[in-house]
Amino acid sequence: TSVWNFKPHNFSNVTSISPLSTSDDRSNEENNRNKNLFSLAALLLSTYTLTSHTTQSESAQTNTTEEEKEPWEGIFYTKAEVRKHRTKETGIWITYHGLVYDITKFVDLHPGGSSKLMLVAGGALEPFWAFYTFHNRSEISRMIDKYCIGEVDPDEEPEMLSDDDPFAHEPDRHPALKVNSWQPFNAETPSELLADKFVTPSDLLYVRNHLPVPVIDENDYRLEISGDGMYSVRLSMKDLKKMKKHNVVVTLQCAGNRRNDMKKVREVKGLDWEQGAIGTAKWTGVRLIDVLQQIGFDLSNHAEIRHLHFEGLDKDFSHNYGGSIPIEKAMDRHGDVLLAYEMNDEPIPRDHGFPLRLIVPGYVGARNCKWLAKLHFSFDESDNHHQQKDYKTFSSSTAWEDVDWTKGRAIQELPVTSVICSPPEGTTYSKGTKEIQVRGYAYSGGGRGINRVDVSIDEGKTWHSAKLKRDPEAAYNREWAWTLWSCPLPIPEGSTGPLTIMVKAVDTSYNTQPDSIEHIWNIRGLLANSWHKVGVKIE
């Protein structure tokens, strides 16, 4: 299905739940950064708010009674043609409100560099305008009218897939997502956007699908809850929505996030994730323990129950996606395990589990089951493939030929990690630049918060403590969301040539990151949490 049918969302509710900056956060450095960002955004908006209308005053100056015809009128391009123009070699084209623009010459003029602007290449501006809603300045909109080259062909036929194709009914996706695979669809948030908002807009959150996205009618949907030696119950969405609502802000991260760092050491099996397979959302639904109490499920007489199995409605010819979590997490009153039906104050999008998703705060993304169909309390761990023969790590000396999957435990909580989102790799600064504004995220699983983030630009000789932005409502050991950080990093006097920025985090249990990736390499490329490094140049 075409990704060009995207309709922008209103993210006002999302941004309203982001933590507010304190007076300490509003330092001169950050104010300057915000001013620069606003200026950058204003110029970026000039590509977003392109217009092509001749004003009445301009028409009057022509001394004619007929409106002038623009040179691009009557020239049509299909969206497929626009998608072919994504590089400087092919030309960089974009669409906005039915018009096509060639912005190739503008990209290098962009004062903030080309990285964010290139996210739009070959695609539509509307989704980006939905993200950067505060940039609307009409006086700027006329600056790039000259780049308009035509109109989007209104007669273009939408791409059609056979109903026999299991991927025939996939949802539309945000064009900014960096796609790792189309079938099944897997894509990550561009790192340039990750640290811009504490809560990630729903359609920019990374997507990890193992199988085709199921088509589900909410009216027909039923959740089955059962247990070994226990009765079973089936609940409709109406049943669940009658129960008390609960909100929780949770960061989800794929176990393969930063896998590409491990691939630089040795080849691994898995999707080519960079650092964008992570994001944060506000989830709304009913707590699992409240549901069990409501339906009369009493586990006090079933001490032998050790695991909660889950199963999704996504399936192939042989199995459904599934797995399990320990009963201690499932039944913890402070564990906030949720049956969620809203994401960022809207119904959960199909890619993220509509109509119901199991949210297990502090656990790896793989245990946050989408399109939840079944919950089963069991004596034994799930025998699902994704529990037994995936999402495990082994020694860096273990090869595929001799791996014994029974020897490893399934990943549940995630280790502490941190990432540099800005500046991007390869950014060049002029000689004499005094400092670099560095931003990113840090996260630790199991409800552990971030105690400290340290940043270095001199190979670790000197470390600078970053300013932290946390969820202000999170309780100790229930810090389910990431920490965003920023650091004005001074450049050593006289520096020239390549430099490496490094970051490491310490969580509230004083766990730290390993300094190198080599010794944590594993055949699946999972849990890549070594110090993150980004190369820049001074010239």
Side-chain angles (χ1 to χ4, degrees), residues 444-466:
S444 189
R448 295 176 291 275
I450 297 300
N451 190 46
R452 194 177 76 241
V453 173
D454 301 326
V455 190
S456 176
I457 197 171
D458 59 4
E459 299 298 327
K461 296 183 182 71
T462 307
W463 294 94
H464 301 265
S465 293

Side-chain angles (χ1 to χ4, degrees), residues 406-426:
T406 66
K407 299 298 185 183
R409 291 191 178 188
I411 297 169
Q412 302 287 5
E413 296 180 359
L414 288 165
V416 62
T417 191
S418 60
V419 159
I420 299 164
C421 295
S422 177
E425 177 73 28

Side-chain angles (χ1 to χ4, degrees), residues 389-458:
K389 295 191 174 182
D390 201 353
Y391 296 106
K392 297 180 179 182
T393 70
F394 301 90
S395 159
S396 56
S397 298
T398 301
W400 277 101
E401 303 79 52
D402 54 18
V403 63
D404 182 352
W405 291 98
T406 66
K407 299 298 185 183
R409 291 191 178 188
I411 297 169
Q412 302 287 5
E413 296 180 359
L414 288 165
V416 62
T417 191
S418 60
V419 159
I420 299 164
C421 295
S422 177
E425 177 73 28
T427 302
T428 299
Y429 296 90
S430 60
K431 189 175 181 180
T433 301
K434 299 297 183 184
E435 66 180 25
I436 299 173
Q437 296 296 330
V438 188
R439 297 186 301 137
Y441 67 78
Y443 173 71
S444 189
R448 295 176 291 275
I450 297 300
N451 190 46
R452 194 177 76 241
V453 173
D454 301 326
V455 190
S456 176
I457 197 171
D458 59 4

Side-chain angles (χ1 to χ4, degrees), residues 28 39 46 61 88 110 122-123 129 139 177 183-184 214 218 249 265 273 279 356 365 367 371 387 413 455 464 475 506:
N28 291 333
S39 299
S46 60
Q61 292 174 8
K88 291 182 180 180
H110 193 266
W129 173 233
E139 67 271 20
L177 290 172
Q183 295 182 347
E218 182 176 347
V249 178
V265 177
W273 295 116
L356 194 70
R367 311 302 171 213
W371 315 292
Q387 187 80 17
E413 296 180 359
V455 190
H464 301 265
V506 180

Side-chain angles (χ1 to χ4, degrees), residues 55-225:
T55 63
Q56 290 181 356
S57 60
E58 288 170 337
S59 297
Q61 292 174 8
T62 63
N63 296 319
T64 63
T65 58
E66 296 184 2
E67 184 179 352
E68 288 186 16
K69 183 177 180 181
E70 298 287 357
W72 45 259
E73 288 187 47
I75 301 174
F76 297 101
Y77 299 97
T78 65
K79 291 173 182 175
E81 289 177 289
V82 174
R83 287 199 293 272
K84 296 176 182 177
H85 294 79
R86 306 177 74 121
T87 66
K88 291 182 180 180
E89 290 71 27
T90 61
I92 301 166
W93 293 10
I94 58 174
T95 67
Y96 186 68
H97 284 184
L99 300 180
V100 179
Y101 299 84
D102 182 349
I103 62 168
T104 310
K105 294 181 180 179
F106 177 74
V107 170
D108 286 335
L109 301 177
H110 193 266
S114 61
S115 61
K116 285 190 177 180
L117 199 53
M118 287 300 293
L119 296 175
V120 193
L125 285 171
E126 285 87 343
F128 297 86
W129 173 233
F131 188 77
Y132 292 108
T133 55
F134 56 89
H135 302 157
N136 189 11
R137 294 177 59 189
S138 58
E139 67 271 20
I140 299 174
S141 66
R142 295 183 292 272
M143 290 177 58
I144 316 184
D145 283 351
K146 61 183 179 182
Y147 296 115
C148 186
I149 60 172
E151 303 174 65
V152 176
D153 188 349
D155 299 322
E156 182 178 11
E157 293 290 333
E159 296 178 20
M160 301 297 291
L161 293 173
S162 167
D163 284 342
D164 295 331
D165 187 330
F167 295 97
H169 303 288
E170 296 284 287
D172 295 333
R173 278 89 182 210
H174 197 297
L177 290 172
K178 297 174 68 174
V179 179
N180 282 323
S181 71
W182 287 100
Q183 295 182 347
F185 186 79
N186 289 280
E188 61 187 287
T189 312
S191 60
E192 297 92 333
L193 305 181
L194 271 176
D196 283 354
K197 295 180 184 289
F198 191 86
V199 172
T200 312
S202 300
D203 54 1
L204 279 172
L205 183 74
Y206 81 98
V207 179
R208 176 63 173 111
N209 292 339
H210 296 82
L211 299 160
V213 176
V215 178
I216 303 169
D217 186 332
E218 182 176 347
N219 295 321
D220 297 333
Y221 172 85
R222 296 294 184 272
L223 170 66
E224 180 182 321
I225 303 178

Side-chain angles (χ1 to χ4, degrees), residues 254-273:
C254 179
N257 195 34
R258 292 183 58 195
R259 177 178 284 129
N260 273 358
D261 286 351
M262 285 197 178
K263 284 193 170 184
K264 294 173 185 176
V265 177
R266 270 183 284 161
E267 190 60 33
V268 298
K269 291 188 178 181
L271 294 166
D272 293 334
W273 295 116

